[in-house]
Amino acid sequence: MEEVRQLIHDYLSWEIVVNDPASVLAALEIETRYHTSFWDALILQAAESSGATVLYSEDLAASQKYGAVQVVNPLA
């Protein structure tokens, strides 16, 4: 039970990124600039807006840098 409690406590410290109209417009810019799908662009936008510099993904191009966000394939 303590392990579950600690896990939930850890989750509470995570920042939640809310998709508002400005973030959707920013994602559309990313989609156009990098020729990604809209959904990938929204993920990239959320990563950048939260201050992340690394995004782990099997779908996006490994080692590709999208603005301040570097993609890393965790399986490579």
Side-chain angles (χ1 to χ4, degrees):
M1 184 61 101
E2 184 57 35
E3 185 177 338
V4 171
R5 191 179 319 254
Q6 183 59 46
L7 184 62
I8 292 170
H9 186 269
D10 289 344
Y11 287 158
L12 291 173
S13 69
W14 291 12
E15 179 183 347
I16 297 172
V17 177
V18 177
N19 294 320
D20 60 12
S23 63
V24 171
L25 291 173
L28 289 170
E29 295 282 329
I30 293 169
E31 176 186 24
T32 300
R33 181 174 182 189
Y34 296 106
H35 305 286
T36 65
S37 73
F38 172 74
W39 302 111
D40 286 343
L42 200 56
I43 291 167
L44 289 162
Q45 188 282 325
E48 187 167 13
S49 72
S50 71
T53 56
V54 175
L55 176 66
Y56 294 96
S57 173
E58 298 173 45
D59 297 326
L60 292 166
S63 301
Q64 173 73 37
K65 194 157 188 172
Y66 298 90
V69 178
Q70 176 81 43
V71 173
V72 174
N73 184 335
L75 303 178

